[in-house]
Amino acid sequence: MERQYGEKGEIAWGNQIRSYVFQPYQMVKDHRTGAETSNVQDVMDGNIDMFIQAKLRGETNTKGEASDGDT
């Protein structure tokens, strides 16, 4: 438990896990893994499987679109 809790950073501006951009383009980016998608609405609807999978796999630099049905 201590190992997982030790990974937490300071709660401060600029230490967010994920960025959501709605204008002038659309993108959601996970700063821990580098996973990103332009399908903002899908992520806002709760489909965050691509981010969960990237974290579980330990990926650090993935890019791609979240697709329907992919887990």
Side-chain angles (χ1 to χ4, degrees):
M1 286 295 264
E2 287 182 26
R3 187 171 17 132
Q4 286 183 344
Y5 282 107
E7 293 178 10
K8 290 184 179 178
E10 182 180 335
I11 299 173
W13 182 258
N15 290 327
Q16 66 270 18
I17 293 172
R18 219 172 277 126
S19 292
Y20 299 83
V21 179
F22 293 91
Q23 292 291 334
Y25 55 92
Q26 294 187 350
M27 181 182 72
V28 179
K29 180 173 184 176
D30 187 305
H31 297 285
R32 298 172 298 178
T33 62
E36 61 183 57
T37 181
S38 62
N39 194 344
V40 175
Q41 188 58 52
D42 200 33
V43 174
M44 296 302 293
D45 287 340
N47 186 3
I48 59 169
D49 290 343
M50 73 173 292
F51 301 115
I52 294 169
Q53 291 297 322
K55 178 65 176 169
L56 291 175
R57 290 184 181 132
E59 295 175 5
T60 57
N61 228 357
T62 60
K63 288 187 177 184
E65 295 291 320
S67 59
D68 295 333
D70 286 351
T71 53

